[in-house]
Amino acid sequence: FNPGTTNGQKMFIERSKEHAEGKRFNLSIEFATDIHQFLISKEGELGNCCNIPIAFNGHNCPMEFANLITQHSKISLELVQRNAHKRFATMLAQNADVPTPPFTSRTLDPANNNDDKATFYDRVNASVLAKAIENLLTPLGYQDLLLNKEKFSFTDATTGEIHFDGPTMVKIIVSQIEPDTIVGMDSLKAQ
């Protein structure tokens, strides 16, 4: 969907809608299960931005993928950032290091370039996720996440607009709260 259209804007708002103040969470282990369940509920709305390639052939083509939400321990922050650079800047060579922040995004021309059109929609999905995360966390929880914004923010070189990469935000969140451990502990307690 295109958030630049009336219908697309409605879809963007629906997919990233705000939670009631009482349903927002701090970025802490105490709310790990709630945050993890929220992320799983959003997964179907996010296109491919949560399926991260983790193994490549000799031609740098993906051979194996892992789910950022349910298999986050298989995915490094560097790998998620590499995908963010492909989405917002340019694809990094297989052996190239992730650049030092601040990151710059390139301007797209989706109306005239089919590759840019695919990238545009990938950015939309990443932006929906970023906005949904903002709306999930309490103001204090979101401020805590923004302490790491240099890892997930890209500034448009032309407009100066700052874009947040939702999948990188997810990786930082799940690394901080370790939902697999909490969900596993809850399962053990239930037995």
Side-chain angles (χ1 to χ4, degrees):
F1 68 95
N2 182 346
T5 65
T6 302
N7 192 38
Q9 182 64 25
K10 288 178 187 175
M11 290 175 73
F12 186 94
I13 291 169
E14 178 61 30
R15 290 182 180 184
S16 64
K17 67 182 168 185
E18 288 194 34
H19 296 270
E21 212 42 56
K23 297 226 178 199
R24 289 183 165 205
F25 305 104
N26 283 324
L27 194 55
S28 69
I29 289 176
E30 177 184 357
F31 299 108
T33 301
D34 297 306
I35 292 170
H36 193 235
Q37 288 173 347
F38 169 80
L39 292 171
I40 288 171
S41 77
K42 287 292 182 188
E43 188 177 359
E45 301 173 2
L46 301 173
N48 288 325
C49 73
C50 289
N51 292 320
I52 309 295
I54 59 171
F56 301 86
N57 67 15
H59 301 288
N60 203 24
C61 295
M63 299 295 295
E64 183 182 350
F65 293 81
N67 183 292
L68 181 59
I69 298 167
T70 59
Q71 300 173 305
H72 66 88
S73 60
K74 291 183 172 185
I75 304 168
S76 68
L77 176 61
E78 178 188 355
L79 203 47
V80 179
Q81 286 180 308
R82 294 177 80 72
N83 280 342
H85 277 274
K86 180 180 176 189
R87 185 174 11 265
F88 287 101
T90 57
M91 185 172 179
L92 301 173
Q94 192 170 9
N95 295 327
D97 291 334
V98 172
T100 303
F103 304 137
T104 303
S105 72
R106 66 184 178 90
T107 303
L108 300 178
D109 184 13
N112 298 307
N113 182 316
N114 284 337
D115 290 337
D116 279 0
K117 186 179 290 186
T119 301
F120 170 80
Y121 288 115
D122 193 27
R123 284 185 184 183
V124 168
N125 288 327
S127 296
V128 167
L129 181 55
K131 187 65 175 174
I133 288 168
E134 178 183 356
N135 291 332
L136 170 71
L137 298 174
T138 62
L140 182 60
Y142 192 63
Q143 286 177 3
D144 287 346
L145 179 61
L146 290 180
L147 294 174
N148 291 293
K149 73 179 178 182
E150 76 280 351
K151 296 175 183 172
F152 56 78
S153 61
F154 290 79
T155 304
D156 187 296
T158 304
T159 66
E161 184 178 358
I162 297 173
H163 306 278
F164 290 159
D165 183 59
T168 306
M169 294 167 80
V170 167
K171 178 59 183 172
I172 291 167
I173 289 170
V174 295
S175 294
Q176 274 190 256
I177 63 171
E178 293 295 328
D180 288 346
T181 304
I182 302 303
V183 171
M185 294 288 281
D186 288 346
S187 298
L188 286 174
K189 286 179 187 176
Q191 293 176 357

